Amino acid sequence: MKQSITLGKVTRIIGLGFLVTIKDLFTGKMEREQFKDFLRKFIVPIASIVLFIGLWHMGAKTLYNIEASYKVDKAATEQGQEAADAMRACIASGDVSCQPNTLPSPLQVWESYKSLLRDHNSIAADKRAFKEKTAALNAKRLAKGKDPITYTGRPSFVDQIFTSLKTVFAGFLLALFIAVPIGIVIGLSKTLRSSFNWLIQIFKPVSPVVWLLLVFMIVKTLTKDSNSDSAFIISFISVGLCSMWATLVNTAMGVSSVDKDYINVARVLKLGPVQKVFKVILPSSLPLIFTGLRITLSVAWMVLIAIELLAQSPGLGSFVWEEFQNGAIDSNSKIIVAMFIIGTIGFLLDRMMLTIQNMVSFNKNDGI
Amino acid sequence: MAYLELKNVYKTYAQDDTGTQVLSNINLSIEEGEFVAIVGFTGSGKTTLVNLINGLLTPTRGQVLFKGEPVLGTSHERGVIFQNYSLLPWLTVGQNVYMAVKEAFPKEKKSVLHDMVNTYVDMVGLTPAINKRPKELSGGMRQRVAVARALAMKPEMIIMDEPLGALDALTRGNLQDEILNIWEKDKRTALLITNDVDEGIYMADRIIPLRPGPNATLGPEFAINIERPRDKTELNDDPNFKTTRNAIIEYLMEIGNERRVETEEAYVLPDLSPKNFVEQF
């Protein structure tokens, strides 16, 4: 029996049900009730976004004015009226040298976003040119058994995003491979559960920064002789260790709280211990395991930025930190761009996990 | 020797012997090919009794003998249909039955097992729904899957723990007939636990009431001497049916009343009267 896949079903699984409402609007299937629904699901959110941007704009403007008048006053008290007038004129002219440094307005952020994209395009073009230039040489070097020459220029903003994603997925996979098996073993045995409990309770609330330092201590020694990228190793291991606890606890809970009816079925069918775990206990705890994994992924993304920032590992975190240190006129707005990008990617990652979670979960009472 | 025999079985869930007994002094013997029904109030320890027989629980004292051997654990020889269908919701109907068949006949080839699954799913009339998951099925269909799953393991004895309790009256009737048909086909020994006297009379050879717990024990048995196949509509006019039914219900009512009397306690209220506030002002 095949089930028809409709837009409605797909969007409901992904958690974007409002798309159906938009489709109805364009296909003219809108009734009065549905129109109200459309208002609620579509117009109201858009209005709130507009309101948010408006408030932000006004707030930024106020902060800008405070900062500007402070600068003018300072010039007046320190250098006299003439300097104050010059400062006022300088600020009004929009000259880079005397702009007040404060919260950027939405428009500035949008400009920075475009400039980051331009920057990315030019770096990408550079890379292509470099590749073409070194293609012949690299072929020769490879033939001689030497390492090819790689592009070592500055990474663009988009490159940083992909580096961050790589780190987060490496950390997530590490968490998955540590937490799920341990969670299953702990969940199955009451003795192990109580012997591991103190460890979990103590290490769970440890801050990402401390994890980073701990991992740094160990990895630094271990990678002394190799020339591998230890910053990447340190950051992904720290991300994994910080984020694995939710999965560990949820897996252990899921495995230890399997419905008694399912266990009875397993006993009546006389399933062996391995079969019991793989055919009854694991499938029935999958929904909880995936809930844990979903939390793990969002925690991983959240701590990643802080860890990259401290570990000097390339990525969005170090981008933010470098921009802050940089102190250029558009640094603040670039940080805000990074903030929105981080938020959006976090949201998309969460949706991805939610989709998988919805696909594997079942209602607890379905079979009973 | 009886096919299934319970000898002086006691069951308590407390750690020691002193706790309240759920079941006390249960004696029961069932012959091969017999259909026995045990009727009792809810909460009278019926499920505990079933779990003792199928091997999910062990008695605190006494013995459960199946074909002369003590029951030490679950066995494929005794198929169980649970009160709450207990299907695995992540498997389809076919997969649920297949899992049981594969465990019962581990040496058979895959194709043979699949044929068996198809046969039993067809027997309960669910072939069109074989690839559906339990959540897409109605309660009656789910219970049919549970019946198919239990029967597909070809057990020698089939134990039913209020199998139709959660179903509506119409579906109930249909499934009763289906279970009876299957039972009559190869005359397996069957034990039905139910709270419905009519259902017991319609299906069983013997009815044994369970006096409600704590300290639940079996009452006197009532033989049903109505010829098979039984017809539901004719049954209502059968004088034999009427007398048996009345006798059983009377017995159950009597113990129900007894229980109420036993539990009646005199509550001594403290001798208090409301304070007279008026005088204070």
Side-chain angles (χ1 to χ4, degrees):
Chain A
M1 283 264 295
K2 272 195 177 166
Q3 291 188 355
S4 61
I5 297 168
T6 62
L7 180 69
K9 249 183 209 163
V10 172
T11 50
R12 214 174 308 121
I13 287 182
I14 307 174
L16 297 172
F18 67 88
L19 286 179
V20 178
T21 332
I22 301 175
K23 189 196 115 196
D24 287 347
L25 181 74
F26 288 114
T27 49
K29 275 203 293 185
M30 185 83 50
E31 303 274 326
R32 194 185 162 81
E33 271 306 306
Q34 283 174 311
F35 185 69
K36 269 187 193 163
D37 213 39
F38 169 73
L39 272 183
R40 193 164 47 237
K41 283 185 178 160
F42 202 64
I43 301 295
V44 174
I46 283 184
S48 77
I49 290 172
V50 171
L51 185 73
F52 172 76
I53 291 177
L55 282 175
W56 173 15
H57 179 78
M58 269 153 44
K61 205 168 183 182
T62 319
L63 289 173
Y64 180 91
N65 288 338
I66 295 172
E67 194 79 25
S69 64
Y70 175 75
K71 272 195 156 186
V72 172
D73 287 351
K74 199 178 163 199
T77 49
E78 285 175 6
Q79 293 164 303
Q81 191 55 44
E82 212 169 292
D85 288 341
M87 179 59 81
R88 191 172 290 126
C90 179
I91 291 173
S93 74
D95 193 272
V96 176
S97 64
C98 51
Q99 281 306 303
N101 180 18
T102 183
L103 178 73
S105 72
L107 204 66
Q108 280 170 312
V109 171
W110 177 243
E111 287 301 326
S112 292
Y113 170 70
K114 285 199 291 194
S115 96
L116 280 172
L117 273 188
R118 270 200 302 279
D119 186 45
H120 167 68
N121 287 337
S122 79
I123 288 179
D126 259 11
K127 263 191 197 168
R128 271 197 300 278
F130 180 82
K131 218 175 178 182
E132 273 168 32
K133 233 191 281 174
T134 55
L137 183 62
N138 272 344
K140 258 188 227 164
R141 282 180 70 100
L142 276 175
K144 280 186 195 165
K146 285 182 182 173
D147 288 339
I149 302 169
T150 49
Y151 183 81
T152 51
R154 183 170 61 89
S156 77
F157 182 65
V158 180
D159 295 338
Q160 308 264 45
I161 294 177
F162 283 108
T163 319
S164 281
L165 282 174
K166 198 176 90 184
T167 318
V168 106
F169 275 113
F172 176 72
L173 286 181
L174 181 79
L176 178 86
F177 285 120
I178 294 179
V180 172
I182 294 185
I184 292 169
V185 173
I186 291 180
L188 287 175
S189 149
K190 261 188 188 163
T191 324
L192 279 179
R193 201 153 58 240
S194 57
S195 61
F196 268 91
N197 195 30
W198 68 272
L199 199 110
I200 295 173
Q201 300 302 334
I202 290 180
F203 282 117
K204 197 168 64 169
V206 169
S207 134
V209 178
V210 181
W211 276 117
L212 174 81
L213 297 178
L214 183 78
V215 174
F216 178 73
M217 289 175 218
I218 297 165
V219 172
K220 190 191 70 180
T221 316
L222 289 181
T223 58
K224 210 145 217 168
D225 304 326
S226 71
N227 53 359
S228 56
D229 181 9
S230 67
F232 170 72
I233 296 174
I234 291 172
S235 50
F236 98 77
I237 293 180
S238 318
V239 167
L241 289 182
C242 287
S243 60
M244 70 175 207
W245 302 101
T247 304
L248 182 62
V249 172
N250 266 32
T251 308
M253 196 170 83
V255 169
S256 63
S257 65
V258 174
D259 202 304
K260 208 160 176 288
D261 286 328
Y262 302 154
I263 300 288
N264 277 348
V265 169
R267 287 181 64 189
V268 166
L269 300 186
K270 285 189 94 71
L271 296 181
V274 179
Q275 291 237 308
K276 191 169 144 189
V277 170
F278 282 98
K279 296 220 156 149
V280 177
I281 293 178
L282 266 189
S284 82
S285 44
L286 263 191
L288 261 181
I289 294 180
F290 270 88
T291 313
L293 286 177
R294 189 177 157 205
I295 301 171
T296 287
L297 189 60
S298 37
V299 170
W301 184 247
M302 210 156 74
V303 300
L304 172 84
I305 307 300
I307 281 174
E308 277 179 350
L309 194 148
L310 284 164
Q312 299 298 307
S313 165
L316 283 172
S318 60
F319 172 84
V320 170
W321 189 241
E322 277 160 19
E323 284 302 333
F324 181 67
Q325 300 286 35
N326 193 357
I329 187 69
D330 60 348
S331 278
N332 283 358
S333 39
K334 277 183 183 169
I335 291 173
I336 306 273
V337 173
M339 186 191 90
F340 278 112
I341 299 279
I342 290 166
T344 313
I345 292 174
F347 166 72
L348 291 178
L349 288 178
D350 192 54
R351 269 299 132 95
M352 200 179 77
M353 286 306 288
L354 179 74
T355 310
I356 301 174
Q357 194 190 342
N358 281 346
M359 286 197 296
V360 299
S361 56
F362 51 88
N363 192 340
K364 206 169 163 346
N365 299 322
D366 282 346
I368 301 176
Chain B
M1 185 174 45
Y3 193 66
L4 176 90
E5 204 168 4
L6 276 78
K7 282 186 185 163
N8 307 318
V9 169
Y10 288 81
K11 179 69 192 171
T12 160
Y13 285 113
Q15 294 300 322
D16 50 18
D17 240 12
T18 55
T20 41
Q21 278 153 350
V22 183
L23 297 175
S24 79
N25 200 16
I26 300 277
N27 285 294
L28 173 70
S29 71
I30 298 175
E31 299 301 324
E32 191 162 2
E34 223 183 349
F35 197 130
V36 175
I38 292 179
V39 213
F41 293 105
T42 31
S44 57
K46 287 180 301 203
T47 301
T48 307
L49 182 59
V50 162
N51 286 346
L52 284 174
I53 295 170
N54 65 32
L56 285 171
L57 293 174
T58 46
T60 317
R61 265 192 287 155
Q63 266 188 314
V64 180
L65 299 171
F66 180 68
K67 294 200 288 193
E69 301 281 322
V71 169
L72 297 172
T74 55
S75 157
H76 291 151
E77 292 175 322
R78 276 160 285 138
V80 187
I81 301 175
F82 287 106
Q83 184 172 6
N84 41 18
Y85 332 126
S86 295
L87 301 176
L88 303 179
W90 54 88
L91 298 180
T92 62
V93 169
Q95 287 166 333
N96 262 299
V97 180
Y98 181 79
M99 193 171 156
V101 177
K102 199 171 154 245
E103 285 309 312
F105 310 100
K107 285 174 193 146
E108 290 288 353
K109 272 190 247 154
K110 258 195 171 178
S111 55
V112 180
L113 296 180
H114 278 294
D115 285 345
M116 283 165 84
V117 170
N118 291 335
T119 317
Y120 280 93
V121 171
D122 185 50
M123 191 172 76
V124 293
L126 282 178
T127 305
I130 193 161
N131 287 326
K132 284 192 176 164
R133 284 180 208 286
K135 72 167 172 189
E136 299 169 79
L137 306 179
S138 65
M141 289 162 100
R142 287 181 200 181
Q143 192 55 283
R144 278 185 208 173
V145 181
V147 170
R149 180 173 68 180
L151 293 176
M153 298 171 82
K154 303 208 170 114
E156 290 173 31
M157 177 175 180
I158 173 156
I159 301 161
M160 296 166 271
D161 180 11
E162 291 198 50
L164 312 174
L167 303 179
D168 62 280
L170 290 173
T171 324
R172 219 168 199 224
N174 285 339
L175 263 177
Q176 282 169 359
D177 290 338
E178 272 175 46
I179 292 174
L180 275 181
N181 279 338
I182 295 162
W183 174 76
E184 265 165 20
K185 232 182 263 170
D186 34 38
K187 284 280 177 191
R188 285 176 194 150
T189 315
L191 175 67
L192 171 77
I193 307 280
T194 180
N195 55 16
D196 182 348
V197 177
D198 290 7
E199 182 175 285
I201 297 176
Y202 179 59
M203 296 177 79
D205 297 322
R206 269 195 292 154
I207 289 190
I208 305 168
L210 186 66
R211 300 174 61 96
N215 296 320
T217 189
L218 292 177
E221 66 168 58
F222 297 86
I224 317 290
N225 301 315
I226 303 171
E227 267 185 33
R228 291 175 192 274
R230 295 169 185 168
D231 187 299
K232 229 175 228 153
T233 39
E234 280 175 26
L235 211 58
N236 284 329
D237 305 321
D238 191 326
N240 211 340
F241 169 80
K242 277 184 188 165
T243 47
T244 335
R245 185 173 184 273
N246 288 341
I248 296 171
I249 287 178
E250 234 163 68
Y251 178 77
L252 285 172
M253 294 282 279
E254 204 176 289
I255 45 180
N257 288 336
E258 239 172 67
R259 186 161 67 152
R260 209 166 299 141
V261 173
E262 275 168 21
T263 53
E264 216 167 83
E265 278 176 38
Y267 292 102
V268 185
L269 296 176
D271 186 23
L272 295 174
S273 55
K275 211 171 177 179
N276 195 348
F277 288 101
V278 183
E279 286 173 15
Q280 288 180 12
F281 295 102

